[in-house]
Amino acid sequence: MNPEPHQNQPALNVDGLEAAYQDVVRVLHNISFHIHEQECVALLGSNGAGKTTTLKSISGLLQGDGSVTGGKVYLHGEDVTGKPAHFMVPKGVIQVLEGRYVFPDLNVRDNLLMGAYTRMDRTHIEDEIDRIFGYFPQLKDRLHTKAGYLSGGEQQMLVIGRALLAKPRILLLDEPSMGLAPKLVREVFEIIERIRSEENLTLLLVEQNANMALRLAERAYLMETGSIVLEGTADELMEDPRLQEVYLGGLNS
Amino acid sequence: MEPNLTDKDAGTAAARPLLETRLERYGAVGLILALAVGSMLISSYHLSLLTTITIFAFSAMGLNLLSGNAGLISIAHAAFMGLGAFTAAWFAIDLGIPILIAIILAGIVSAGVGLLFGIPSLRLSGLYLILATFAAQIILYWFFEQALWLTKSPDGRFVGIPEVMGFEFGDPWHYYLLVLVFTIAGAVVYLNILRSGLGRSLEVIKERPIVSQMMGVNLQRTKLIAFTIGHFYAGVAGALYGWHLQFVATEAFDLMGSIELLVMIIIGGLGSLAGAVLGATFIVVVPELLDMAGRRLVDDMGLMAPIRMFIYGLLVVIFLIYEPHGLARTWRKLVRYFNKKLFKNKNEH
């Protein structure tokens, strides 16, 4: 870990972010939030609230069909607004996309190695793969299996493991629970919790499963139609009736 | 290539040898020797066929890198071969540049133009990218017919017998050896690219462009590198082809030529060296065999000519039904089989 110039400076600071697809469809309006070093923050909200777009504008994956049209993103105080993914990855900002996108034709090991694509320090990679198998022992048994043949849960573990090999300082996790059985969801979250404490990770978690997310996160922001409508500690939000309103119906309805 | 890119083999299956099994290693040496010596012994007709196959294998490697590995399907590869053939002739004959340098320069020109056409195609994929390469094919072909300072006549130009440092390649066998050297060098480079980090990034941008970016792969740069290298191969192959026939015929580089190159790598096998070589062999040899059969069976070629293309097409379709992964897979199965038989228990590494 690099020493921080200012102890109180947030690891990630998003200030008034605006984003649009194809320069026409505005999807984010004045999004502001911050994450401190080693904090876990959850972004909650229903479908189409703009959670994934927020992640993509930070990690640089928006380029192509959308763009950041306003606001700033600061990483440890450095302005990284609108920078592409291949710039952000070496900076330690790694996003795990929703939907468990493994490289189906590569085996588990090669998938993991792909995570180390931008790494220049290669001597410890074998050890790190072993450490990742410590979190996901199931994967070790399937080292040479094509990732396309893994089960959904294993694929979710693989994409998280792959992201860890990129040496993240801030991990952006998009819907790790999507499409998994409740028991697996708990398992995945337990592993994330473990990884978080052992790797001293800063975590930005996007989830529809608010219950699970709030158990893991210290603070959370609630999004609706491209804006942040509610923020607070996980405990506060857990009690807040407005959270349920957002999931069950609109705030203003 | 770019050292900082090829050096990144962290993303590859750690330091794989160039040729993996003993059979492949012995086979490669044996094949090269057999080609070098055997080509001396065969008739000039067969030698000409062999030279054509070797040149097209070289060209197909470039297309396989672009379309097979990186998934950027192009139907303009023949036009880029044409560009290489005409520019090499222009450099060598009109400007008096030594032929070997002219061939490399032709590759560079073709790579540069390929890069230029690649830039607007960056955001396109699938059918739209094919349309963009179709445009490149049409534009280049039109250019060959118009730019008479380069092509001398709309039909093409004579290039004569190649001469390197006072040595005339009057003997087709000598010229074949030159082509073989180029092709072996091209094959070594191609295999090296495949096992480098660049090769791996080409594979993953085809499968999962977004996730590749998430892993830090620079998608646009990787695509542009594929365009550049792929078309470098096309340019060099075109230059070699021109001096092989001693006439650069514009017609040889039309859309049909580009599609045949694409069929080569599909039949041969996408994304592998064996695919390029076997595909080129298939596409060059099968029509010749059909012609030969036609001459034997029916003397009247007027009857055979129309059904020749029909049989040819039918063979291609049957092939794709029974071996959709191409001849390269048939080949790999054979290699694995013989490798087990020949080197039982000895193949430890």
Side-chain angles (χ1 to χ4, degrees):
Chain A
M1 289 282 151
N2 294 341
E4 293 310 313
H6 310 291
Q7 211 49 271
N8 286 330
Q9 191 177 51
L12 184 75
N13 190 10
V14 176
D15 185 20
L17 192 69
E18 314 254 335
Y21 284 111
Q22 312 289 8
D23 299 324
V24 206
V25 192
R26 284 184 65 203
V27 276
L28 294 184
H29 314 277
N30 198 20
I31 300 284
S32 296
F33 64 94
H34 62 272
I35 310 171
H36 287 289
E37 195 72 45
Q38 295 186 27
E39 196 182 19
C40 176
V41 167
L43 273 184
L44 306 175
S46 54
N47 287 329
K51 309 183 295 290
T52 298
T53 308
T54 307
L55 285 198
K56 284 186 170 173
S57 353
I58 296 167
S59 65
L61 288 178
L62 207 56
Q63 282 195 336
D65 45 12
S67 58
V68 174
T69 50
K72 292 283 179 197
V73 178
Y74 297 100
L75 181 68
H76 303 290
E78 184 192 351
D79 184 356
V80 292
T81 316
K83 291 276 197 268
H86 55 82
F87 175 88
M88 299 301 282
V89 170
K91 295 249 171 212
V93 178
I94 317 292
Q95 181 178 352
V96 177
L97 292 167
E98 71 181 316
R100 308 189 282 273
Y101 286 117
V102 295
F103 298 112
D105 286 338
L106 301 184
N107 64 28
V108 167
R109 192 189 135 78
D110 284 352
N111 260 276
L112 288 172
L113 281 175
M114 204 51 219
Y117 183 79
T118 57
R119 297 266 303 270
M120 286 305 174
D121 50 329
R122 269 178 251 150
T123 40
H124 303 299
I125 283 179
E126 289 301 323
D127 298 339
E128 285 180 39
I129 289 183
D130 277 343
R131 208 184 67 226
I132 282 162
F133 288 147
Y135 300 121
F136 309 109
Q138 275 166 286
L139 289 183
K140 192 169 186 171
D141 305 329
R142 318 211 53 178
L143 195 57
H144 299 291
T145 309
K146 273 191 180 186
Y149 298 143
L150 298 180
S151 73
E154 287 167 336
Q155 289 183 344
Q156 184 63 56
M157 292 170 189
L158 181 57
V159 295
I160 295 175
R162 187 175 62 188
L164 289 179
L165 260 180
K167 265 209 173 155
R169 297 181 68 194
I170 302 182
L171 192 63
L172 315 178
L173 265 178
D174 198 352
E175 302 265 2
S177 74
M178 194 174 92
L180 295 181
K183 186 170 165 259
L184 264 175
V185 172
R186 261 196 308 282
E187 199 181 320
V188 166
F189 267 89
E190 275 162 21
I191 296 172
I192 294 172
E193 173 83 79
R194 218 185 111 204
I195 292 170
R196 194 198 149 200
S197 58
E198 287 178 30
E199 312 268 330
N200 297 322
L201 270 183
T202 308
L203 212 59
L204 177 56
L205 178 66
V206 157
E207 257 301 342
Q208 295 220 35
N209 189 333
N211 224 335
M212 283 314 255
L214 288 177
R215 261 186 250 172
L216 188 67
E218 276 106 40
R219 291 188 302 116
Y221 296 85
L222 182 62
M223 289 184 73
E224 203 186 28
T225 55
S227 307
I228 288 179
V229 292
L230 204 61
E231 60 176 283
T233 66
D235 294 337
E236 283 168 9
L237 279 176
M238 199 90 90
E239 302 297 316
D240 201 310
R242 282 178 292 177
L243 181 68
Q244 279 161 26
E245 279 176 45
V246 163
Y247 275 92
L248 299 176
L251 252 187
N252 308 318
S253 60
Chain B
M1 306 300 123
E2 278 187 45
N4 63 335
L5 251 165
T6 39
D7 274 352
K8 271 186 214 158
D9 46 25
T12 74
R16 206 183 278 138
L18 204 60
L19 297 167
E20 276 178 87
T21 64
R22 255 189 225 205
L23 186 70
E24 275 178 7
R25 265 168 271 164
Y26 293 156
V29 174
L31 181 69
I32 291 166
L33 285 178
L35 286 174
V37 176
S39 56
M40 189 171 52
L41 308 170
I42 56 182
S43 73
S44 63
Y45 163 73
H46 288 120
L47 180 62
S48 170
L49 271 188
L50 186 60
T51 311
T52 306
I53 291 171
T54 312
I55 291 170
F56 274 95
F58 185 88
S59 180
M61 280 177 222
L63 185 62
N64 223 349
L65 183 92
L66 182 66
S67 302
N69 298 107
L72 306 166
I73 309 280
S74 163
I75 50 169
H77 210 63
F80 283 94
M81 277 182 77
L83 186 63
F86 282 121
T87 47
W90 186 68
F91 282 132
I93 298 166
D94 297 3
L95 302 186
I97 294 172
I99 280 181
L100 288 184
I101 299 174
I103 291 175
I104 300 297
L105 284 179
I108 293 171
V109 167
S110 177
V113 175
L115 178 68
L116 278 183
F117 277 107
I119 292 168
S121 317
L122 275 181
R123 288 199 173 181
L124 307 176
S125 59
L127 288 173
Y128 299 96
L129 178 66
I130 295 177
L131 275 184
T133 64
F134 177 66
Q137 167 73 43
I138 300 297
I139 291 169
L140 283 173
Y141 197 83
W142 172 84
F143 175 74
F144 298 153
E145 288 179 330
Q146 303 300 317
L148 297 184
W149 56 271
L150 180 72
T151 59
K152 303 304 171 210
S153 85
D155 295 330
R157 72 181 288 183
F158 285 97
V159 291
I161 295 168
E163 185 192 304
V164 176
M165 288 180 292
F167 181 78
E168 273 207 358
F169 283 87
D171 185 341
W173 181 56
H174 292 145
Y175 188 67
Y176 174 71
L177 292 183
L178 180 73
V179 169
L180 189 62
V181 168
F182 267 98
T183 305
I184 292 167
V188 170
V189 171
Y190 182 55
L191 284 176
N192 265 311
I193 291 174
L194 288 194
R195 64 189 189 135
S196 71
L198 171 62
R200 184 45 54 88
S201 54
L202 293 174
E203 291 287 343
V204 296
I205 63 163
K206 175 180 66 177
E207 275 184 7
R208 293 251 187 265
I210 308 275
V211 191
S212 313
Q213 280 175 288
M214 198 187 79
M215 306 278 80
V217 175
N218 188 332
L219 186 65
Q220 310 205 325
R221 189 172 70 170
T222 309
K223 281 185 179 178
L224 288 180
I225 290 173
F227 274 111
T228 309
I229 299 177
H231 290 122
F232 178 82
Y233 275 84
V236 171
L240 292 171
Y241 194 50
W243 273 297
H244 168 47
L245 301 178
Q246 296 174 14
F247 179 73
V248 181
T250 313
E251 202 187 49
F253 308 114
D254 62 0
L255 182 63
M256 193 58 207
S258 289
I259 289 172
E260 281 210 333
L261 274 156
L262 200 59
V263 174
M264 268 180 209
I265 61 166
I266 293 171
I267 284 201
L270 289 172
S272 69
L273 174 63
V277 175
L278 296 171
T281 311
F282 186 94
I283 293 296
V284 175
V285 167
V286 166
E288 294 293 331
L289 287 178
L290 286 174
D291 272 355
M292 228 163 66
R295 272 190 297 263
R296 289 266 166 84
L297 297 173
V298 233
D299 268 331
D300 182 11
M301 280 304 288
L303 190 78
M304 193 58 191
I307 60 166
R308 194 191 77 132
M309 284 317 281
F310 171 75
I311 297 176
Y312 177 48
L314 197 65
L315 270 176
V316 169
V317 172
I318 290 174
F319 206 83
L320 288 180
I321 291 172
Y322 287 100
E323 190 60 293
H325 294 280
L327 284 162
R329 189 150 101 173
T330 322
W331 173 251
R332 267 197 298 281
K333 282 185 209 155
L334 283 174
V335 166
R336 210 171 297 147
Y337 177 77
F338 282 113
N339 206 37
K340 264 187 201 156
K341 285 238 151 168
L342 289 173
F343 302 108
K344 224 177 241 171
N345 304 327
K346 276 188 288 176
N347 209 5
E348 76 288 75
H349 49 245

